[in-house]
Amino acid sequence: SAVISQKPSRDICQRGTSLTIQCQVDSQVTMMFWYRQQPGQSLTLIATANQGSEATYESGFVIDKFPISRPNLTFSTLTVSNMSPEDSSIYLCSVAWELGIGGWDGYTFGSGTRLTVV
Amino acid sequence: QKEVEQDPGPLSVPEGAIVSLNCTYSNSAFQYFMWYRQYSRKGPELLMYTYSSGNKEDGRFTAQVDKSSKYISLFIRDSQPSDSATYLCAKRGMDSSYKLIFGSGTRLLVRP
C-alpha cells in the first residue's frame, strides 16, 4: 500500500484567511481523495482529485471554497478558502490502490490536518 | 435515512472480552465493505474488507456480512487495551467514482 505524508498536521487560523494542505504519496496513484471529519463525526468526501483536470466535487462542496490541485500522480493540495469557525475540522487525504483482486480495493489515509478557525 | 448506520457508542468492555461492532446499510447497489480503525489524532487504517456474504477471519478479527438483512459486523476476540479506538464501517459501490460511504464510527474502550 501507499504511504501518505500530509502537512501541516495542525494549524490555527484566523477567520477570512486561507490554508493550503499538502498531500504527498510515496508512489504513483491514480485515485486521490479529500475528506473532512468534523469533531465526533464520520468522514465525508469533499472531492476526488483528478490529475490534469478539475476535481470532482461532492454535493455541498464547491471549487471556490475548496480549490484542489493535482499536478502529478503523487501530489495534491486542498485549500480551505475564506475560512470561518464552521470550517474547523480534520481534513484527510486518501488514495486508492489495488489489493490484487481487481479494481480499486484498498484505501489509505493520511494522518490528517487538524484545523481550528478562530 | 443514511446509507450506512452505525451505533456511535461508546462501548466499554473488559480486556479479553469478545467485541461485536455492527452497521446496517440501506442501498443495495454495493460492491464490498470495509472496516477501518482510527486511533485518536490519526487517520483511519484499513482492518478488513469483504466482498461477499459470510465470514472473513484475520487473526483476532472476523468480518461478517449478511446481505439479506443488509447487516455488517466486526468481531474482535480476546480484546486488548490497544484495540481501544474508533471503528468505522464503510461501503463502496461499483460505480466509477470509487467513493467510500462511512458510518459514523463506534468508539471502543477496552479496560485493562
Side-chain angles (χ1 to χ4, degrees), chain A residues 13 19 27 31 39 50 53-54 58 70 74 77-78 81 83 98 102 106 111 114 117:
Chain A
C13 300
L19 175 71
S27 58
M31 308 296 289
N50 302 309
S53 64
E54 193 172 285
E58 295 298 306
R70 177 102 190 262
T74 63
T77 66
L78 168 74
S81 303
M83 289 183 284
E98 292 187 50
S111 55
R114 186 177 295 267
V117 183

Side-chain angles (χ1 to χ4, degrees), chain B residues 18-31:
Chain B
I18 297 174
V19 176
S20 173
L21 304 166
N22 305 298
C23 288
T24 58
Y25 62 93
S26 60
N27 189 333
S28 295
F30 59 84
Q31 177 64 11

Side-chain angles (χ1 to χ4, degrees), chain A residues 12-83:
Chain A
I12 300 173
C13 300
Q14 297 290 323
R15 68 176 67 201
T17 62
S18 297
L19 175 71
T20 296
I21 302 167
Q22 298 181 3
C23 178
Q24 179 74 54
V25 189
D26 68 344
S27 58
Q28 292 187 343
V29 291
T30 300
M31 308 296 289
M32 291 183 74
F33 309 90
W34 287 98
Y35 284 83
R36 181 173 72 182
Q37 187 174 29
Q38 294 180 301
Q41 303 295 317
S42 189
L43 286 81
T44 301
L45 180 65
I46 296 172
T48 301
N50 302 309
Q51 194 265 328
S53 64
E54 193 172 285
T56 304
Y57 289 84
E58 295 298 306
S59 176
F61 298 96
V62 295
I63 187 171
D64 290 344
K65 177 66 175 177
F66 298 101
I68 289 171
S69 79
R70 177 102 190 262
N72 56 52
L73 293 178
T74 63
F75 186 77
S76 178
T77 66
L78 168 74
T79 299
V80 186
S81 303
N82 188 25
M83 289 183 284

